[in-house]
């Protein structure tokens, strides 16, 4: 963490409250989100992005290279654009061809390395890569908007602003792979480098550079520059499905560190009894921005749009009541009062208030971003005996003991890994085959099974696990909860009521995603980097793009 005095801190919210699927599925991006952290780091170093290679033809096909120096190291994005037949364009992970493919390269690639990447990157999973390749990604065009922007630019006009607001991106990624996938570099190669110590920093840099390429590509094909306001609003779309959900379950230390940083930030802000006028004015302006952002957030699904509309109405009503006015916010205890009110509203209102309150206090909380990685893994000694395990379960995991896992609604679903794509999937235990290959994401059921098998008389855990090796995972998770209280999702992840979309939204909010557009309870589209600074704006706009709105 950065060297600054420890600020006062209110009590943390309980994990029993915070680590619930419905709460996690209501989270919004904050200034601790990874993209925001990256933009601040790039701005602090005054990073300059160049384009040493541009081998793109008039139709927009070919390759380009973007270069920058960050944290004392050179990096390059190699972007490859190909002619994709319409019948091969799909957002599904099973696709085998895409409009564009990308590699974030460690160093500056020479001509041979560029040629290698241009040959292999479009094949994605079907190819193999090297330790110089840090991140692998691919993206498809938003065909309607991309074609519209090209047409307008060729005609000497700017694109229709309503269509820009409606879509918000020229391309959307369907994967951003890091950490050793398909032979690319393991995270260990870069995690100690300045700027890359935080979670997913290399992946976020890749996404930001891809956005830069999409702007350049559409301007090149269209033969004219985009208005800067429009360019800022064009982020990068993303399609994310079940493959992301198990990550939070399989990385309890990371999940704990992310949530603990966020909760600590909130606790430090809650301790501020008297908000300075400058921050109060900022909160008032940001509350208006949030309302405008909600009014620009439209999705095709009627149920999810109703949820957005309800949030917008509740937020607008709160603003009309003066809850976010500067005069109210400078009163003693205003932050605690605002949070107390939000706890009587919907979870969406509550979590939006939390995200809002963090924004003006970067000088207090930004150092917490340095605490969100997991450099060592779980370093927890096992609990000594079965009595200690029983006591820990009773204290920290009553949520795991409550369900009747033999009842069909409580064991309705099972997680497994697709043999064809090696991606997580979710099946119906009573209608689909494969439950015998179930992935161990049923943490609650496993903890309860451990609890039920614990002996009446204390026994060393080593002896117990020698006789019951099937309980090793549950025992390790129970022990980990002593030091990582926010590491478990405190819900039944195989229940019929479990909605993976809640896990997706939680993780994506930490990335910095907005404009969630769920297509089912198992996959969603989002927007990344919308409103983020352009490459030549890092010094001026690096840290004021929370919940961006279209600048008229």
């Amino acid at each position: 963490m950065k060297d600054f005095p420890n600020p006062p801190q209110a009590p943390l919210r309980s994990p029993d409250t915070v680590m619930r699927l419905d709460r996690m599925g209501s989270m919004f991006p904050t200034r601790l989100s990874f993209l925001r952290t990256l933009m601040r780091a790039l701005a602090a170093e005054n990073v300059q992005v160049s384009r040493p290679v541009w081998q793109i033809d008039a139709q927009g096909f070919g390759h380009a290279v973007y270069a920058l120096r960050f944290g004392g190291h050179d990096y390059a994005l190699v972007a490859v654009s190909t002619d994709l037949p319409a019948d091969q364009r799909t957002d599904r992970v099973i696709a085998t061809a895409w409009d564009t493919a990308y590699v974030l390269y460690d160093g500056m690639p020479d001509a041979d390395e560029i040629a290698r990447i241009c040959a292999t990157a479009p094949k994605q999973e079907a190819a193999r890569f090297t330790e110089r390749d840090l991140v692998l990604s691919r993206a498809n065009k938003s065909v309607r908007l991309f074609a519209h922007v090209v047409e307008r630019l060729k005609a000497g006009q700017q694109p229709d602003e309503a269509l820009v607001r409606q879509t918000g991106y020229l391309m959307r990624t369907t994967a951003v792979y890091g950490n050793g996938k398909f032979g690319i570099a393991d995270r260990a190669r870069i995690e100690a480098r300045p700027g890359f110590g935080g979670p997913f920093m290399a992946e976020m840099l890749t996404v930001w550079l891809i956005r830069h390429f999409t702007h350049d590509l559409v301007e090149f094909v269209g033969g004219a520059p985009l208005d800067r306001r429009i360019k800022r609003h064009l982020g990068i779309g993303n399609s994310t499905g079940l493959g992301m959900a198990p990550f939070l379950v399989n990385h309890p230390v990371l999940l704990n560190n992310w949530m603990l940083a966020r909760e600590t930030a909130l606790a430090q802000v809650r301790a501020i009894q008297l908000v300075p006028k400058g921050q109060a004015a900022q909160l008032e302006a940001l509350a208006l921005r949030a309302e405008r952002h909600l009014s620009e957030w439209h999705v095709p699904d009627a149920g999810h749009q109703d949820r957005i509309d309800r949030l917008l109405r509740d937020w607008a009503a709160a603003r009309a009541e003066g809850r976010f006015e500067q005069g109210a916010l400078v009163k003693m205890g205003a932050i605690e009062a605002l949070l107390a009110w939000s706890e009587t509203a919907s979870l969406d209102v509550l979590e939006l208030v939390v995200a809002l309150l963090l924004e003006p206090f970067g000088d207090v909380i930004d150092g917490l971003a340095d605490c969100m990685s997991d450099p060592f893994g779980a370093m927890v000694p096992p609990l000594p005996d079965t009595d200690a395990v029983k006591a820990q379960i009773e204290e920290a995991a009553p949520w795991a003991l409550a369900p009747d896992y033999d009842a069909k609604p409580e064991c309705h679903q099972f997680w497994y890994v697709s043999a064809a794509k090696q991606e997580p999937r979710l099946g119906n235990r009573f209608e689909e085959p494969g439950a015998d290959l179930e992935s161990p994401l049923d943490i609650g059921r496993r903890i309860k099974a451990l609890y039920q098998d614990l002996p009446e008389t204390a026994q060393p855990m080593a002896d117990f696990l020698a006789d019951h090796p099937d309980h090793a995972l549950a025992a390790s998770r129970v022990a980990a909860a002593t030091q990582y209280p926010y590491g478990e999702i405190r819900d039944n992840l195989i229940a019929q009521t479990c909605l993976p979309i809640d896990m997706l939204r939680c993780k994506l909010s930490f990335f910095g995603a907005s404009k969630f557009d769920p297509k089912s309870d198992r996959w969603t589209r989002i927007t990344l980097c919308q409103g983020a600074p352009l490459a030549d704006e890092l010094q001026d706009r690096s840290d004021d793009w929370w919940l961006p709105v279209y600048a008229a």
Side-chain angles (χ1 to χ4, degrees):
M1 183 178 292
K2 295 176 181 176
D3 184 18
F4 62 87
N6 290 329
Q9 182 173 311
L12 297 174
R13 295 190 296 182
S14 166
D16 277 329
T17 298
V18 174
M19 301 307 296
R20 297 288 183 174
L21 283 174
D22 55 354
R23 177 72 61 100
M24 297 168 72
S26 302
M27 289 173 59
F28 286 86
T30 72
R31 65 178 302 109
L32 295 180
S33 297
F34 308 143
L35 270 168
R36 295 283 301 282
T37 300
L38 174 67
M39 291 301 106
R40 290 195 292 269
L42 294 174
E45 290 197 19
N46 194 24
V47 167
Q48 306 294 313
V49 178
S50 63
R51 196 183 71 189
V53 177
W54 184 260
Q55 295 294 324
I56 302 288
D57 66 22
Q59 287 71 45
F61 307 128
H63 68 273
V65 177
Y66 293 83
L68 57 87
R69 187 165 181 80
F70 178 42
H73 294 264
D74 292 322
Y75 302 102
L77 181 80
V78 181
V80 185
S81 175
T82 54
D83 186 4
L84 179 66
D87 60 358
Q88 295 185 35
R89 182 175 289 107
T90 173
D91 282 348
R92 298 189 66 189
V93 72
I94 62 172
T96 56
W98 302 267
D99 284 310
T100 57
Y102 308 89
V103 164
L104 182 68
Y105 188 82
D106 189 5
M108 299 307 302
D110 59 21
D112 289 342
E113 283 288 77
I114 293 172
R116 173 184 65 81
I117 292 170
C118 289
T120 55
K123 299 176 183 178
Q124 297 280 299
E125 291 98 318
R128 287 299 179 265
F129 299 87
T130 80
E131 73 280 359
R132 299 296 297 273
D133 305 323
L134 301 179
V135 178
L136 175 67
S137 185
R138 70 279 188 113
N140 283 335
K141 294 172 182 172
S142 175
V143 176
R144 183 176 64 145
L145 182 59
F146 195 96
H148 167 78
V149 174
V150 167
E151 180 184 5
R152 284 294 188 94
L153 292 180
K154 285 184 174 180
Q157 302 173 328
Q158 290 296 307
D160 178 77
E161 299 191 2
L163 188 57
V164 170
R165 288 197 301 270
Q166 178 183 343
T167 304
Y169 51 81
L170 293 167
M171 291 190 191
R172 57 179 172 266
T173 60
T174 61
V176 183
Y177 294 125
N179 197 21
K181 195 96 168 179
F182 313 123
I184 64 178
D186 289 333
R187 174 171 164 77
R189 181 180 174 91
I190 60 172
E191 65 183 347
R193 296 183 185 180
F196 276 0
F200 294 96
M201 288 295 102
E203 290 87 343
M204 296 300 100
L205 178 60
T206 301
V207 171
W208 183 66
L209 291 172
I210 290 173
R211 174 196 186 218
H212 193 57
F213 171 70
T214 68
H215 295 163
D216 284 358
L217 185 66
V218 80
E219 289 180 332
F220 181 76
V221 178
L226 278 166
D227 183 279
R228 187 169 285 266
R229 297 174 305 114
I230 294 174
K231 193 182 294 191
R232 286 193 201 109
H233 199 71
L234 289 170
I236 284 292
N238 175 266
S239 293
T240 296
L242 281 176
M244 182 176 281
F247 183 94
L248 297 182
V249 186
N250 292 330
H251 295 82
V253 178
L254 265 181
L255 177 59
N256 174 83
N257 293 352
W258 297 359
M259 298 297 288
L260 182 58
R262 188 175 182 269
E263 292 303 308
T264 301
L266 176 62
Q268 291 175 352
V269 171
R270 291 182 87 151
I272 299 172
Q273 292 297 309
L274 193 61
V275 178
K277 288 184 179 179
Q279 276 101 335
Q282 190 176 354
L283 285 169
E284 181 177 13
L286 289 171
L288 173 59
R289 183 194 296 178
E291 183 176 332
R292 290 182 57 195
H293 179 89
L294 295 173
S295 71
E296 295 178 3
W297 181 8
H298 301 287
V299 300
D301 182 85
H304 287 286
Q305 186 61 52
D306 285 346
R307 179 177 171 181
I308 297 167
D309 292 342
R310 287 195 302 272
L311 174 57
L312 175 58
R313 289 194 299 271
D314 292 346
W315 195 261
R319 283 193 63 254
E321 294 166 3
R323 297 190 183 275
F324 303 113
E325 288 182 356
Q326 181 179 351
L329 293 169
V330 295
K331 295 180 179 179
M332 184 68 69
I335 288 178
E336 196 59 45
L338 184 59
L339 280 166
W341 163 78
S342 71
E343 289 170 357
T344 69
S346 69
L347 287 178
D348 287 330
V349 170
L350 171 57
E351 289 304 312
L352 184 53
V353 167
V354 168
L356 168 73
L357 287 174
L358 302 186
E359 275 302 304
F361 300 104
D363 58 333
V364 175
I365 68 173
D366 282 355
L368 291 165
D370 296 339
C371 305
M372 297 176 77
S373 61
D374 172 21
F376 307 114
M379 300 183 68
V380 182
L383 295 171
D385 56 43
T386 54
D387 278 2
V389 171
K390 182 181 295 185
Q392 177 63 17
I393 292 174
E394 291 172 350
E395 178 183 349
W399 60 272
L401 301 180
D404 175 6
Y405 296 100
D406 292 327
K408 282 189 174 182
E410 300 296 339
C411 64
H412 179 82
Q413 305 184 96
F414 68 94
W415 296 85
Y416 67 99
V417 175
S418 163
K421 295 300 293 183
Q422 293 297 299
E423 290 281 346
R425 297 287 184 267
L426 196 58
N428 182 323
R429 191 179 305 276
F430 304 105
E431 295 180 4
E432 300 175 41
D436 57 320
L437 301 174
E438 184 169 4
S439 300
L441 302 183
D442 54 335
I443 302 300
R445 182 171 63 171
R446 288 170 176 266
I447 290 175
K448 185 170 184 177
L450 165 64
Y451 183 82
Q452 291 173 332
D453 282 349
L454 292 173
E456 292 293 330
T457 303
Q459 180 182 5
M461 276 305 291
D463 295 344
F464 175 81
L465 290 176
D467 294 332
H468 301 276
D470 52 313
H471 290 317
L473 174 59
S476 69
R477 301 294 282 244
V478 172
T482 63
Q483 295 192 29
Y484 304 106
Y486 294 91
E488 295 290 356
I489 300 172
R490 301 192 176 202
D491 274 302
N492 179 8
L493 301 184
I494 58 172
Q496 189 170 5
T497 54
C498 172
L499 301 178
I501 193 72
D502 292 330
M503 288 183 269
L504 300 183
R505 178 157 172 179
C506 172
K507 186 179 179 185
L508 290 165
S509 73
F510 279 107
F511 285 2
S514 60
K515 302 285 181 69
F516 293 88
D517 179 9
K519 300 304 180 183
S520 74
D521 62 12
R522 302 185 181 193
W523 76 282
T524 184
R525 287 179 180 167
I526 57 165
T527 306
L528 294 164
C529 294
Q530 189 173 70
L534 304 175
D536 60 353
E537 295 179 332
L538 284 169
Q539 293 302 305
D540 301 324
R541 303 178 57 87
S542 66
D543 208 27
D544 186 23
W545 51 286
W546 178 71
L547 296 190
V549 297
Y550 188 82

